[in-house]
Amino acid sequence: MSNNNSNINTFQPGNSPSKDYLTRDLSAQLRIFQLNVEGISSDKSRYLERLLKEHKIDVVLLQETHVSNELQMTRRATISGYTLISALYHRSYGSATYVRNDKPRWNFRKADWHTFAKSIDANIRWIKPTSNNYDRFVGFVKGTAKRCIP
């Protein structure tokens, strides 16, 4: 895909719902990665380590981890270079949020993650996932991050 606008990133994952959408390079940014893992495993965690490092991801949001407790999460979902800051344990559902360990520009440990998640959950559904709404989506996530992450 060609585009004469130099701040458009045409990276498009092969089998992804967003494969037909363009992303805009906004220079200094918070990179957020969201994935339905359909059950986390140590093999998936090792793959994620490589993928997250390659794309310099700052925040990782995993859904459908299918992990019932903290011990299972430690055994199956440790991602080197990232700290698990929040997890919901459930054998059929579950979620996990990680932050990259070496990001000094955001103080993730002092973030109000409850307010951040509540705001994202309450408002994200109103933004249709199209390329026309990309700036609106980025502005929403950045504004929420500025309010909740010192």
Side-chain angles (χ1 to χ4, degrees):
M1 176 178 288
S2 66
N3 193 314
N4 59 4
N5 190 342
S6 64
N7 67 344
I8 298 290
N9 177 1
T10 58
F11 170 75
Q12 298 172 349
N15 188 17
S16 167
S18 60
K19 67 182 176 186
D20 296 325
Y21 300 108
L22 300 176
T23 58
R24 189 172 302 246
D25 183 359
L26 301 173
S27 64
Q29 53 194 281
L30 177 67
R31 293 178 181 225
I32 301 171
F33 177 83
Q34 179 275 326
L35 178 67
N36 179 334
V37 292
E38 297 178 0
I40 191 71
S41 67
S42 54
D43 287 338
K44 288 180 183 178
S45 294
R46 283 191 295 275
Y47 177 78
L48 283 171
E49 282 178 27
R50 291 191 309 269
L51 182 71
L52 301 173
K53 183 178 180 181
E54 178 182 335
H55 293 284
K56 300 176 183 168
I57 302 299
D58 300 310
V59 179
V60 181
L61 311 165
L62 301 179
Q63 285 76 42
E64 303 294 333
T65 56
H66 301 183
V67 174
S68 347
N69 58 51
E70 188 174 357
L71 180 59
Q72 283 184 357
M73 184 67 80
T74 302
R75 288 182 180 161
R76 295 168 35 192
T78 298
I79 301 174
S80 179
Y82 290 80
T83 300
L84 177 67
I85 61 165
S86 173
L88 173 65
Y89 304 115
H90 191 281
R91 65 183 176 88
S92 301
Y93 310 109
S95 64
T97 303
Y98 298 82
V99 293
R100 198 163 90 185
N101 293 335
D102 63 344
K103 292 305 288 183
R105 69 177 184 237
W106 297 88
N107 192 342
F108 294 120
R109 294 195 187 278
K110 291 186 178 181
D112 182 354
W113 292 112
H114 176 74
T115 302
F116 180 84
K118 190 174 180 179
S119 177
I120 294 288
D121 288 344
N123 296 295
I124 199 77
R125 65 179 167 213
W126 303 112
I127 302 174
K128 188 176 179 181
T130 66
S131 57
N132 292 340
N133 286 334
Y134 184 79
D135 290 333
R136 182 176 171 206
F137 170 77
V138 169
F140 166 67
V141 172
K142 278 183 158 182
T144 303
K146 285 178 183 177
R147 286 190 307 279
C148 301
I149 307 171

